[in-house]
Amino acid sequence: MHSAPDTLPATILSAETIAGDVRLLRIRPEFGFTRAEPGSHLSVALTLGGLDRIRSYSVVNDEGGAWTIAVRRLENGRGGSRFMAGLQAGDRIQVAAPRNHFQLSGSSPEYLLIAGGIGVTPILSMARALAKRGRVRMLYAGRTRNSMAFLDDLTALLGDRLTVFVEAEGAVIDFAQEFARLHAEGEAYICGPNGMLTAARNAWKAAGRLPALLRFETFGAGGAREPEAFDVHVRDHNLTLHVPSDASLLDTLARHGIQLANDCQRGECGLCVVDVVEASALDHRCVFLSEEQRREGRKLCACVSRATGHVTIDTFYRPSLARTDLAAAAE
Ligand SMILES: Cc1cc2nc3c(=O)[nH]c(=O)nc-3n(C[C@H](O)[C@H](O)[C@H](O)COP(=O)(O)OP(=O)(O)OC[C@H]3O[C@@H](n4cnc5c(N)ncnc54)[C@H](O)[C@@H]3O)c2cc1C
């Protein structure tokens, strides 16, 4: 299960806007600096709406005893990115040392790096590590050129091994074509919005490639539409709750004493999946369920996915089993 990382005080050394709504922050921990391998992220402890929260940010540089991160300001989020984007030099925050859930292997015959939007941050550190030593190409997609952070750095680093796809200029990645050019045992690393990830996974599967060689990281809960408030009836607890637009189903259940197992809290691990008994409409935002499971509409990842209108769920809570467990534990 997800454990809250230990955090230490750190100081913002500098803060600047580098592209559109992306702020670059250099952060120096007051104790115990550690280097960050490619793909690592920092965890920052915040208080949002009165609740203790963690927000993660990939380390784009770790030179000079400080970590550098790049934060895209999201207006429709719960406030973490707005807080981070508002930080100035001299401000103090609480951070945990870098952790890595998106490791770069050292053994692939060819690497294909793929970034969408702010998903460029872990990919940039990988590009730096691979530029000199490996066979590497990179595909970088964004809405407009001005909104794409680190475009100049990546061009200088990779030259013609970088291909840029600007949506406003009508360019989109053709994953089937790109994967066809990749060495048969080559690896792809992708970080970007869920839609991009789904397209890449479908093309990877259609190309008959080994699933383990497509590695990805998602940044969270971005959905196809704005989060809406909805009502949830929890059948096994006989309880009806209102989920506000700025809270997740998982958090709302927890606030009412219904604790679901959970870990990643970004729709990847599937631990918090609940059964859907009936729903007006579902708004799936996870990458854990397959397209077929989403279409069937019988499961929902409570950490990120939502409903519009109402939904009836079953969380597998069985009081008779719980009583048996408690009795067994007491013996
Ligand atoms: C490993 C990792 C690395 C990351 N690296 C970076 C990075 O380098 N740079 C960066 O900018 N970000 C990064 N992120 C994302 C970052 O941690 C935050 O999620 C981001 O800053 C948004 O935080 P927030 O509180 O503003 O928004 P959140 O509340 O987390 O909202 C994020 C998204 O969820 C949707 N959403 C908002 N509220 C709800 C709701 N109630 N129910 C469902 N969906 C909702 C919004 O539409 C929004 O698109 C990373 C995340 C992870 C896990």
Side-chain angles (χ1 to χ4, degrees), residues 41 48 55-58 70-72 74 76-82 118 121 217-219 221-222 227 245-248 266 285 304 306:
H41 63 270
L48 298 177
R55 289 292 183 266
S56 304
Y57 296 95
S58 303
V71 180
R72 164 148 290 150
L74 281 183
N76 66 354
R78 280 160 282 202
S81 72
R82 290 195 295 277
I118 194 64
T121 49
E217 183 158 79
T218 61
F219 279 179
S245 62
D246 61 353
S248 68
R266 51 183 197 267
R285 293 160 178 251
V304 293
R306 313 181 62 80

PDB file of all heavy atoms in Angstrom, residues 41 48 55-58 70-72 74 76-82 118 121 217-219 221-222 227 245-248 266 285 304 306, ligand 1:
ATOM      1  N   HIS A  41      11.021  11.179  -9.368  1.00  0.00           N
ATOM      2  CA  HIS A  41      10.200  12.344  -9.016  1.00  0.00           C
ATOM      3  C   HIS A  41      10.379  12.701  -7.546  1.00  0.00           C
ATOM      4  O   HIS A  41      10.733  11.853  -6.737  1.00  0.00           O
ATOM      5  CB  HIS A  41       8.715  12.069  -9.312  1.00  0.00           C
ATOM      6  CG  HIS A  41       8.144  10.952  -8.500  1.00  0.00           C
ATOM      7  ND1 HIS A  41       8.167   9.645  -8.924  1.00  0.00           N
ATOM      8  CD2 HIS A  41       7.569  10.931  -7.275  1.00  0.00           C
ATOM      9  CE1 HIS A  41       7.629   8.875  -8.000  1.00  0.00           C
ATOM     10  NE2 HIS A  41       7.253   9.627  -6.976  1.00  0.00           N
ATOM     11  N   LEU A  48      -4.209  20.978   1.013  1.00  0.00           N
ATOM     12  CA  LEU A  48      -5.187  21.439   0.018  1.00  0.00           C
ATOM     13  C   LEU A  48      -6.577  21.247   0.584  1.00  0.00           C
ATOM     14  O   LEU A  48      -6.927  20.112   0.950  1.00  0.00           O
ATOM     15  CB  LEU A  48      -5.056  20.650  -1.286  1.00  0.00           C
ATOM     16  CG  LEU A  48      -3.714  20.750  -2.030  1.00  0.00           C
ATOM     17  CD1 LEU A  48      -3.721  19.852  -3.254  1.00  0.00           C
ATOM     18  CD2 LEU A  48      -3.433  22.185  -2.426  1.00  0.00           C
ATOM     19  N   ARG A  55       1.952  15.939  -3.819  1.00  0.00           N
ATOM     20  CA  ARG A  55       1.980  16.100  -5.265  1.00  0.00           C
ATOM     21  C   ARG A  55       3.388  15.770  -5.733  1.00  0.00           C
ATOM     22  O   ARG A  55       4.364  16.158  -5.092  1.00  0.00           O
ATOM     23  CB  ARG A  55       1.612  17.537  -5.686  1.00  0.00           C
ATOM     24  CG  ARG A  55       0.140  17.888  -5.480  1.00  0.00           C
ATOM     25  CD  ARG A  55      -0.730  17.085  -6.432  1.00  0.00           C
ATOM     26  NE  ARG A  55      -2.157  17.409  -6.342  1.00  0.00           N
ATOM     27  CZ  ARG A  55      -3.033  16.755  -5.574  1.00  0.00           C
ATOM     28  NH1 ARG A  55      -2.630  15.757  -4.805  1.00  0.00           N
ATOM     29  NH2 ARG A  55      -4.307  17.086  -5.586  1.00  0.00           N
ATOM     30  N   SER A  56       3.487  15.054  -6.844  1.00  0.00           N
ATOM     31  CA  SER A  56       4.783  14.573  -7.329  1.00  0.00           C
ATOM     32  C   SER A  56       5.241  15.373  -8.537  1.00  0.00           C
ATOM     33  O   SER A  56       4.412  15.755  -9.372  1.00  0.00           O
ATOM     34  CB  SER A  56       4.661  13.107  -7.739  1.00  0.00           C
ATOM     35  OG  SER A  56       4.168  12.357  -6.652  1.00  0.00           O
ATOM     36  N   TYR A  57       6.550  15.574  -8.650  1.00  0.00           N
ATOM     37  CA  TYR A  57       7.109  16.311  -9.791  1.00  0.00           C
ATOM     38  C   TYR A  57       8.419  15.675 -10.222  1.00  0.00           C
ATOM     39  O   TYR A  57       9.317  15.465  -9.395  1.00  0.00           O
ATOM     40  CB  TYR A  57       7.296  17.805  -9.423  1.00  0.00           C
ATOM     41  CG  TYR A  57       5.945  18.430  -9.139  1.00  0.00           C
ATOM     42  CD1 TYR A  57       5.463  18.524  -7.841  1.00  0.00           C
ATOM     43  CD2 TYR A  57       5.116  18.812 -10.193  1.00  0.00           C
ATOM     44  CE1 TYR A  57       4.179  19.001  -7.589  1.00  0.00           C
ATOM     45  CE2 TYR A  57       3.848  19.293  -9.949  1.00  0.00           C
ATOM     46  CZ  TYR A  57       3.378  19.382  -8.654  1.00  0.00           C
ATOM     47  OH  TYR A  57       2.107  19.831  -8.424  1.00  0.00           O
ATOM     48  N   SER A  58       8.520  15.337 -11.507  1.00  0.00           N
ATOM     49  CA  SER A  58       9.722  14.672 -12.026  1.00  0.00           C
ATOM     50  C   SER A  58      10.910  15.621 -11.948  1.00  0.00           C
ATOM     51  O   SER A  58      10.774  16.816 -12.230  1.00  0.00           O
ATOM     52  CB  SER A  58       9.495  14.260 -13.475  1.00  0.00           C
ATOM     53  OG  SER A  58       8.366  13.425 -13.541  1.00  0.00           O
ATOM     54  N   ALA A  70       9.745  21.101 -13.146  1.00  0.00           N
ATOM     55  CA  ALA A  70       8.952  22.015 -13.983  1.00  0.00           C
ATOM     56  C   ALA A  70       7.483  21.711 -13.717  1.00  0.00           C
ATOM     57  O   ALA A  70       7.067  20.553 -13.835  1.00  0.00           O
ATOM     58  CB  ALA A  70       9.288  21.790 -15.450  1.00  0.00           C
ATOM     59  N   VAL A  71       6.726  22.720 -13.361  1.00  0.00           N
ATOM     60  CA  VAL A  71       5.323  22.524 -12.955  1.00  0.00           C
ATOM     61  C   VAL A  71       4.389  23.227 -13.922  1.00  0.00           C
ATOM     62  O   VAL A  71       4.527  24.437 -14.156  1.00  0.00           O
ATOM     63  CB  VAL A  71       5.084  23.116 -11.538  1.00  0.00           C
ATOM     64  CG1 VAL A  71       3.632  22.924 -11.119  1.00  0.00           C
ATOM     65  CG2 VAL A  71       6.026  22.478 -10.527  1.00  0.00           C
ATOM     66  N   ARG A  72       3.457  22.470 -14.491  1.00  0.00           N
ATOM     67  CA  ARG A  72       2.417  23.106 -15.324  1.00  0.00           C
ATOM     68  C   ARG A  72       1.255  23.502 -14.436  1.00  0.00           C
ATOM     69  O   ARG A  72       0.736  22.681 -13.667  1.00  0.00           O
ATOM     70  CB  ARG A  72       1.957  22.160 -16.420  1.00  0.00           C
ATOM     71  CG  ARG A  72       0.636  22.585 -17.065  1.00  0.00           C
ATOM     72  CD  ARG A  72       0.523  22.215 -18.512  1.00  0.00           C
ATOM     73  NE  ARG A  72       1.420  23.024 -19.327  1.00  0.00           N
ATOM     74  CZ  ARG A  72       1.973  22.623 -20.465  1.00  0.00           C
ATOM     75  NH1 ARG A  72       1.726  21.423 -20.904  1.00  0.00           N
ATOM     76  NH2 ARG A  72       2.777  23.410 -21.148  1.00  0.00           N
ATOM     77  N   LEU A  74      -2.381  24.033 -13.520  1.00  0.00           N
ATOM     78  CA  LEU A  74      -3.682  23.514 -13.971  1.00  0.00           C
ATOM     79  C   LEU A  74      -4.785  24.286 -13.269  1.00  0.00           C
ATOM     80  O   LEU A  74      -4.850  24.251 -12.043  1.00  0.00           O
ATOM     81  CB  LEU A  74      -3.841  22.055 -13.547  1.00  0.00           C
ATOM     82  CG  LEU A  74      -3.172  20.959 -14.327  1.00  0.00           C
ATOM     83  CD1 LEU A  74      -3.564  19.617 -13.741  1.00  0.00           C
ATOM     84  CD2 LEU A  74      -3.587  21.023 -15.785  1.00  0.00           C
ATOM     85  N   ASN A  76      -8.027  23.651 -13.452  1.00  0.00           N
ATOM     86  CA  ASN A  76      -9.160  22.818 -13.011  1.00  0.00           C
ATOM     87  C   ASN A  76      -8.785  21.760 -11.976  1.00  0.00           C
ATOM     88  O   ASN A  76      -9.593  20.930 -11.630  1.00  0.00           O
ATOM     89  CB  ASN A  76      -9.826  22.150 -14.222  1.00  0.00           C
ATOM     90  CG  ASN A  76      -8.885  21.153 -14.895  1.00  0.00           C
ATOM     91  OD1 ASN A  76      -7.720  21.051 -14.519  1.00  0.00           O
ATOM     92  ND2 ASN A  76      -9.374  20.424 -15.864  1.00  0.00           N
ATOM     93  N   GLY A  77      -7.555  21.782 -11.478  1.00  0.00           N
ATOM     94  CA  GLY A  77      -7.141  20.791 -10.484  1.00  0.00           C
ATOM     95  C   GLY A  77      -7.592  21.198  -9.091  1.00  0.00           C
ATOM     96  O   GLY A  77      -8.331  22.161  -8.906  1.00  0.00           O
ATOM     97  N   ARG A  78      -7.100  20.433  -8.103  1.00  0.00           N
ATOM     98  CA  ARG A  78      -7.504  20.704  -6.715  1.00  0.00           C
ATOM     99  C   ARG A  78      -6.603  21.711  -6.040  1.00  0.00           C
ATOM    100  O   ARG A  78      -6.707  21.945  -4.855  1.00  0.00           O
ATOM    101  CB  ARG A  78      -7.546  19.392  -5.934  1.00  0.00           C
ATOM    102  CG  ARG A  78      -8.824  18.629  -6.211  1.00  0.00           C
ATOM    103  CD  ARG A  78      -8.704  17.183  -5.868  1.00  0.00           C
ATOM    104  NE  ARG A  78      -7.980  16.483  -6.921  1.00  0.00           N
ATOM    105  CZ  ARG A  78      -8.061  15.186  -7.143  1.00  0.00           C
ATOM    106  NH1 ARG A  78      -8.832  14.445  -6.387  1.00  0.00           N
ATOM    107  NH2 ARG A  78      -7.384  14.619  -8.112  1.00  0.00           N
ATOM    108  N   GLY A  79      -5.659  22.315  -6.775  1.00  0.00           N
ATOM    109  CA  GLY A  79      -4.890  23.425  -6.211  1.00  0.00           C
ATOM    110  C   GLY A  79      -3.410  23.161  -6.024  1.00  0.00           C
ATOM    111  O   GLY A  79      -2.659  24.086  -5.727  1.00  0.00           O
ATOM    112  N   GLY A  80      -2.953  21.901  -6.191  1.00  0.00           N
ATOM    113  CA  GLY A  80      -1.535  21.598  -5.979  1.00  0.00           C
ATOM    114  C   GLY A  80      -0.646  22.359  -6.955  1.00  0.00           C
ATOM    115  O   GLY A  80       0.355  22.976  -6.550  1.00  0.00           O
ATOM    116  N   SER A  81      -1.005  22.341  -8.220  1.00  0.00           N
ATOM    117  CA  SER A  81      -0.140  23.000  -9.204  1.00  0.00           C
ATOM    118  C   SER A  81      -0.215  24.517  -9.054  1.00  0.00           C
ATOM    119  O   SER A  81       0.765  25.214  -9.285  1.00  0.00           O
ATOM    120  CB  SER A  81      -0.509  22.578 -10.621  1.00  0.00           C
ATOM    121  OG  SER A  81      -1.729  23.166 -10.999  1.00  0.00           O
ATOM    122  N   ARG A  82      -1.370  25.037  -8.636  1.00  0.00           N
ATOM    123  CA  ARG A  82      -1.474  26.496  -8.427  1.00  0.00           C
ATOM    124  C   ARG A  82      -0.561  26.912  -7.281  1.00  0.00           C
ATOM    125  O   ARG A  82       0.119  27.922  -7.349  1.00  0.00           O
ATOM    126  CB  ARG A  82      -2.928  26.922  -8.145  1.00  0.00           C
ATOM    127  CG  ARG A  82      -3.831  26.797  -9.360  1.00  0.00           C
ATOM    128  CD  ARG A  82      -5.131  27.558  -9.169  1.00  0.00           C
ATOM    129  NE  ARG A  82      -5.953  27.005  -8.098  1.00  0.00           N
ATOM    130  CZ  ARG A  82      -6.768  25.968  -8.225  1.00  0.00           C
ATOM    131  NH1 ARG A  82      -6.859  25.349  -9.391  1.00  0.00           N
ATOM    132  NH2 ARG A  82      -7.490  25.538  -7.214  1.00  0.00           N
ATOM    133  N   ILE A 118       3.333  18.269 -20.588  1.00  0.00           N
ATOM    134  CA  ILE A 118       4.241  18.349 -19.444  1.00  0.00           C
ATOM    135  C   ILE A 118       4.850  16.974 -19.126  1.00  0.00           C
ATOM    136  O   ILE A 118       5.815  16.889 -18.358  1.00  0.00           O
ATOM    137  CB  ILE A 118       3.533  18.982 -18.223  1.00  0.00           C
ATOM    138  CG1 ILE A 118       4.541  19.393 -17.143  1.00  0.00           C
ATOM    139  CG2 ILE A 118       2.463  18.049 -17.644  1.00  0.00           C
ATOM    140  CD1 ILE A 118       5.507  20.459 -17.540  1.00  0.00           C
ATOM    141  N   THR A 121       8.808  15.990 -18.748  1.00  0.00           N
ATOM    142  CA  THR A 121       9.783  16.140 -17.656  1.00  0.00           C
ATOM    143  C   THR A 121      10.589  14.856 -17.363  1.00  0.00           C
ATOM    144  O   THR A 121      11.821  14.925 -17.342  1.00  0.00           O
ATOM    145  CB  THR A 121       9.125  16.713 -16.381  1.00  0.00           C
ATOM    146  OG1 THR A 121       7.942  15.962 -16.098  1.00  0.00           O
ATOM    147  CG2 THR A 121       8.775  18.181 -16.543  1.00  0.00           C
ATOM    148  N   GLU A 217       4.506   6.271 -17.636  1.00  0.00           N
ATOM    149  CA  GLU A 217       4.123   6.902 -16.377  1.00  0.00           C
ATOM    150  C   GLU A 217       3.005   7.878 -16.708  1.00  0.00           C
ATOM    151  O   GLU A 217       3.051   8.555 -17.733  1.00  0.00           O
ATOM    152  CB  GLU A 217       5.305   7.656 -15.764  1.00  0.00           C
ATOM    153  CG  GLU A 217       4.966   8.271 -14.417  1.00  0.00           C
ATOM    154  CD  GLU A 217       6.218   8.529 -13.589  1.00  0.00           C
ATOM    155  OE1 GLU A 217       6.891   9.535 -13.860  1.00  0.00           O
ATOM    156  OE2 GLU A 217       6.521   7.720 -12.703  1.00  0.00           O
ATOM    157  N   THR A 218       1.992   7.904 -15.862  1.00  0.00           N
ATOM    158  CA  THR A 218       0.942   8.902 -16.055  1.00  0.00           C
ATOM    159  C   THR A 218       1.039   9.895 -14.909  1.00  0.00           C
ATOM    160  O   THR A 218       1.496   9.552 -13.826  1.00  0.00           O
ATOM    161  CB  THR A 218      -0.456   8.266 -16.055  1.00  0.00           C
ATOM    162  OG1 THR A 218      -0.662   7.645 -14.793  1.00  0.00           O
ATOM    163  CG2 THR A 218      -0.616   7.253 -17.155  1.00  0.00           C
ATOM    164  N   PHE A 219       0.583  11.092 -15.147  1.00  0.00           N
ATOM    165  CA  PHE A 219       0.663  12.122 -14.116  1.00  0.00           C
ATOM    166  C   PHE A 219      -0.614  12.223 -13.317  1.00  0.00           C
ATOM    167  O   PHE A 219      -0.728  13.037 -12.422  1.00  0.00           O
ATOM    168  CB  PHE A 219       0.981  13.472 -14.739  1.00  0.00           C
ATOM    169  CG  PHE A 219       2.443  13.652 -15.042  1.00  0.00           C
ATOM    170  CD1 PHE A 219       2.892  14.821 -15.621  1.00  0.00           C
ATOM    171  CD2 PHE A 219       3.358  12.668 -14.744  1.00  0.00           C
ATOM    172  CE1 PHE A 219       4.233  15.004 -15.891  1.00  0.00           C
ATOM    173  CE2 PHE A 219       4.704  12.836 -15.015  1.00  0.00           C
ATOM    174  CZ  PHE A 219       5.143  14.025 -15.594  1.00  0.00           C
ATOM    175  N   ALA A 221      -5.044  12.332 -13.106  1.00  0.00           N
ATOM    176  CA  ALA A 221      -6.440  12.095 -13.342  1.00  0.00           C
ATOM    177  C   ALA A 221      -7.075  12.876 -14.484  1.00  0.00           C
ATOM    178  O   ALA A 221      -8.286  12.957 -14.535  1.00  0.00           O
ATOM    179  CB  ALA A 221      -7.183  12.440 -12.048  1.00  0.00           C
ATOM    180  N   GLY A 222      -6.301  13.475 -15.369  1.00  0.00           N
ATOM    181  CA  GLY A 222      -6.904  14.310 -16.405  1.00  0.00           C
ATOM    182  C   GLY A 222      -7.962  13.551 -17.185  1.00  0.00           C
ATOM    183  O   GLY A 222      -7.688  12.492 -17.729  1.00  0.00           O
ATOM    184  N   PRO A 227     -14.314  17.704 -14.236  1.00  0.00           N
ATOM    185  CA  PRO A 227     -14.961  16.862 -13.221  1.00  0.00           C
ATOM    186  C   PRO A 227     -16.308  17.452 -12.792  1.00  0.00           C
ATOM    187  O   PRO A 227     -16.401  18.657 -12.610  1.00  0.00           O
ATOM    188  CB  PRO A 227     -13.983  16.883 -12.042  1.00  0.00           C
ATOM    189  CG  PRO A 227     -12.765  17.586 -12.495  1.00  0.00           C
ATOM    190  CD  PRO A 227     -13.039  18.266 -13.797  1.00  0.00           C
ATOM    191  N   SER A 245     -17.417  18.153  -7.120  1.00  0.00           N
ATOM    192  CA  SER A 245     -16.578  18.141  -8.321  1.00  0.00           C
ATOM    193  C   SER A 245     -15.091  18.209  -7.978  1.00  0.00           C
ATOM    194  O   SER A 245     -14.258  17.775  -8.753  1.00  0.00           O
ATOM    195  CB  SER A 245     -16.950  19.305  -9.240  1.00  0.00           C
ATOM    196  OG  SER A 245     -16.719  20.511  -8.559  1.00  0.00           O
ATOM    197  N   ASP A 246     -14.763  18.732  -6.781  1.00  0.00           N
ATOM    198  CA  ASP A 246     -13.345  18.863  -6.449  1.00  0.00           C
ATOM    199  C   ASP A 246     -12.855  17.749  -5.521  1.00  0.00           C
ATOM    200  O   ASP A 246     -11.825  17.884  -4.870  1.00  0.00           O
ATOM    201  CB  ASP A 246     -13.062  20.241  -5.826  1.00  0.00           C
ATOM    202  CG  ASP A 246     -13.841  20.452  -4.542  1.00  0.00           C
ATOM    203  OD1 ASP A 246     -14.691  19.592  -4.215  1.00  0.00           O
ATOM    204  OD2 ASP A 246     -13.600  21.468  -3.868  1.00  0.00           O
ATOM    205  N   ALA A 247     -13.607  16.653  -5.431  1.00  0.00           N
ATOM    206  CA  ALA A 247     -13.153  15.524  -4.606  1.00  0.00           C
ATOM    207  C   ALA A 247     -13.280  14.249  -5.421  1.00  0.00           C
ATOM    208  O   ALA A 247     -14.125  14.142  -6.309  1.00  0.00           O
ATOM    209  CB  ALA A 247     -13.999  15.413  -3.344  1.00  0.00           C
ATOM    210  N   SER A 248     -12.435  13.282  -5.090  1.00  0.00           N
ATOM    211  CA  SER A 248     -12.522  12.003  -5.799  1.00  0.00           C
ATOM    212  C   SER A 248     -13.521  11.094  -5.079  1.00  0.00           C
ATOM    213  O   SER A 248     -13.853  11.317  -3.902  1.00  0.00           O
ATOM    214  CB  SER A 248     -11.146  11.340  -5.843  1.00  0.00           C
ATOM    215  OG  SER A 248     -10.770  10.954  -4.538  1.00  0.00           O
ATOM    216  N   ARG A 266      -3.522   7.248  -9.120  1.00  0.00           N
ATOM    217  CA  ARG A 266      -3.606   7.874 -10.429  1.00  0.00           C
ATOM    218  C   ARG A 266      -4.120   6.895 -11.487  1.00  0.00           C
ATOM    219  O   ARG A 266      -3.803   7.013 -12.661  1.00  0.00           O
ATOM    220  CB  ARG A 266      -2.292   8.512 -10.826  1.00  0.00           C
ATOM    221  CG  ARG A 266      -1.072   7.642 -10.721  1.00  0.00           C
ATOM    222  CD  ARG A 266       0.148   8.483 -11.085  1.00  0.00           C
ATOM    223  NE  ARG A 266       1.279   7.671 -11.389  1.00  0.00           N
ATOM    224  CZ  ARG A 266       2.200   7.311 -10.490  1.00  0.00           C
ATOM    225  NH1 ARG A 266       2.088   7.682  -9.250  1.00  0.00           N
ATOM    226  NH2 ARG A 266       3.225   6.576 -10.866  1.00  0.00           N
ATOM    227  N   ARG A 285     -11.236   7.584 -16.058  1.00  0.00           N
ATOM    228  CA  ARG A 285     -10.013   8.372 -16.183  1.00  0.00           C
ATOM    229  C   ARG A 285      -8.779   7.541 -15.851  1.00  0.00           C
ATOM    230  O   ARG A 285      -7.714   8.093 -15.631  1.00  0.00           O
ATOM    231  CB  ARG A 285     -10.069   9.560 -15.223  1.00  0.00           C
ATOM    232  CG  ARG A 285     -11.126  10.571 -15.582  1.00  0.00           C
ATOM    233  CD  ARG A 285     -11.488  11.456 -14.421  1.00  0.00           C
ATOM    234  NE  ARG A 285     -12.481  12.423 -14.854  1.00  0.00           N
ATOM    235  CZ  ARG A 285     -12.251  13.714 -15.007  1.00  0.00           C
ATOM    236  NH1 ARG A 285     -11.085  14.220 -14.722  1.00  0.00           N
ATOM    237  NH2 ARG A 285     -13.210  14.519 -15.433  1.00  0.00           N
ATOM    238  N   VAL A 304      -9.615   7.956  -9.466  1.00  0.00           N
ATOM    239  CA  VAL A 304      -9.641   9.011 -10.492  1.00  0.00           C
ATOM    240  C   VAL A 304     -10.939   9.061 -11.296  1.00  0.00           C
ATOM    241  O   VAL A 304     -11.294  10.124 -11.814  1.00  0.00           O
ATOM    242  CB  VAL A 304      -8.449   8.880 -11.482  1.00  0.00           C
ATOM    243  CG1 VAL A 304      -7.140   9.140 -10.789  1.00  0.00           C
ATOM    244  CG2 VAL A 304      -8.440   7.521 -12.174  1.00  0.00           C
ATOM    245  N   ARG A 306     -15.012   8.816 -12.399  1.00  0.00           N
ATOM    246  CA  ARG A 306     -16.173   9.488 -11.834  1.00  0.00           C
ATOM    247  C   ARG A 306     -17.431   9.007 -12.569  1.00  0.00           C
ATOM    248  O   ARG A 306     -17.361   8.207 -13.493  1.00  0.00           O
ATOM    249  CB  ARG A 306     -16.047  11.014 -12.002  1.00  0.00           C
ATOM    250  CG  ARG A 306     -14.685  11.557 -11.606  1.00  0.00           C
ATOM    251  CD  ARG A 306     -14.599  13.066 -11.749  1.00  0.00           C
ATOM    252  NE  ARG A 306     -15.543  13.749 -10.896  1.00  0.00           N
ATOM    253  CZ  ARG A 306     -15.364  13.980  -9.601  1.00  0.00           C
ATOM    254  NH1 ARG A 306     -14.252  13.577  -9.023  1.00  0.00           N
ATOM    255  NH2 ARG A 306     -16.280  14.606  -8.892  1.00  0.00           N
TER     256      ARG A 306
HETATM  257  C1  LIG B   1       5.156  10.486 -10.767  1.00  0.00           C
HETATM  258  C2  LIG B   1       4.529  11.832 -11.122  1.00  0.00           C
HETATM  259  C3  LIG B   1       5.309  12.829 -11.679  1.00  0.00           C
HETATM  260  C4  LIG B   1       4.727  14.058 -11.989  1.00  0.00           C
HETATM  261  N1  LIG B   1       5.507  15.022 -12.569  1.00  0.00           N
HETATM  262  C5  LIG B   1       4.970  16.216 -12.882  1.00  0.00           C
HETATM  263  C6  LIG B   1       5.781  17.241 -13.491  1.00  0.00           C
HETATM  264  O1  LIG B   1       6.977  17.053 -13.728  1.00  0.00           O
HETATM  265  N2  LIG B   1       5.181  18.430 -13.758  1.00  0.00           N
HETATM  266  C7  LIG B   1       3.857  18.659 -13.511  1.00  0.00           C
HETATM  267  O2  LIG B   1       3.371  19.773 -13.786  1.00  0.00           O
HETATM  268  N3  LIG B   1       3.061  17.701 -12.963  1.00  0.00           N
HETATM  269  C8  LIG B   1       3.589  16.510 -12.625  1.00  0.00           C
HETATM  270  N4  LIG B   1       2.811  15.552 -12.041  1.00  0.00           N
HETATM  271  C9  LIG B   1       1.402  15.875 -11.718  1.00  0.00           C
HETATM  272  C10 LIG B   1       1.346  16.596 -10.362  1.00  0.00           C
HETATM  273  O3  LIG B   1       1.711  15.696  -9.314  1.00  0.00           O
HETATM  274  C11 LIG B   1      -0.046  17.125 -10.001  1.00  0.00           C
HETATM  275  O4  LIG B   1      -0.991  16.106 -10.209  1.00  0.00           O
HETATM  276  C12 LIG B   1      -0.409  18.340 -10.844  1.00  0.00           C
HETATM  277  O5  LIG B   1       0.462  19.425 -10.507  1.00  0.00           O
HETATM  278  C13 LIG B   1      -1.854  18.752 -10.629  1.00  0.00           C
HETATM  279  O6  LIG B   1      -2.085  18.930  -9.256  1.00  0.00           O
HETATM  280  P1  LIG B   1      -3.387  19.713  -8.811  1.00  0.00           P
HETATM  281  O7  LIG B   1      -3.549  19.537  -7.343  1.00  0.00           O
HETATM  282  O8  LIG B   1      -3.325  21.121  -9.332  1.00  0.00           O
HETATM  283  O9  LIG B   1      -4.511  18.997  -9.639  1.00  0.00           O
HETATM  284  P2  LIG B   1      -5.271  17.608  -9.330  1.00  0.00           P
HETATM  285  O10 LIG B   1      -6.359  17.870  -8.407  1.00  0.00           O
HETATM  286  O11 LIG B   1      -4.297  16.565  -9.028  1.00  0.00           O
HETATM  287  O12 LIG B   1      -5.901  17.408 -10.760  1.00  0.00           O
HETATM  288  C14 LIG B   1      -5.187  16.845 -11.823  1.00  0.00           C
HETATM  289  C15 LIG B   1      -6.165  16.494 -12.926  1.00  0.00           C
HETATM  290  O13 LIG B   1      -7.225  15.767 -12.368  1.00  0.00           O
HETATM  291  C16 LIG B   1      -8.464  16.289 -12.762  1.00  0.00           C
HETATM  292  N5  LIG B   1      -9.245  16.403 -11.555  1.00  0.00           N
HETATM  293  C17 LIG B   1      -9.316  17.448 -10.713  1.00  0.00           C
HETATM  294  N6  LIG B   1     -10.157  17.207  -9.750  1.00  0.00           N
HETATM  295  C18 LIG B   1     -10.641  15.950  -9.963  1.00  0.00           C
HETATM  296  C19 LIG B   1     -11.534  15.135  -9.287  1.00  0.00           C
HETATM  297  N7  LIG B   1     -12.165  15.558  -8.204  1.00  0.00           N
HETATM  298  N8  LIG B   1     -11.791  13.883  -9.735  1.00  0.00           N
HETATM  299  C20 LIG B   1     -11.156  13.432 -10.851  1.00  0.00           C
HETATM  300  N9  LIG B   1     -10.313  14.206 -11.572  1.00  0.00           N
HETATM  301  C21 LIG B   1     -10.045  15.432 -11.121  1.00  0.00           C
HETATM  302  C22 LIG B   1      -8.257  17.638 -13.342  1.00  0.00           C
HETATM  303  O14 LIG B   1      -9.068  17.706 -14.489  1.00  0.00           O
HETATM  304  C23 LIG B   1      -6.803  17.669 -13.635  1.00  0.00           C
HETATM  305  O15 LIG B   1      -6.627  17.438 -15.019  1.00  0.00           O
HETATM  306  C24 LIG B   1       3.360  14.301 -11.734  1.00  0.00           C
HETATM  307  C25 LIG B   1       2.580  13.293 -11.165  1.00  0.00           C
HETATM  308  C26 LIG B   1       3.150  12.074 -10.864  1.00  0.00           C
HETATM  309  C27 LIG B   1       2.279  11.021 -10.238  1.00  0.00           C
END
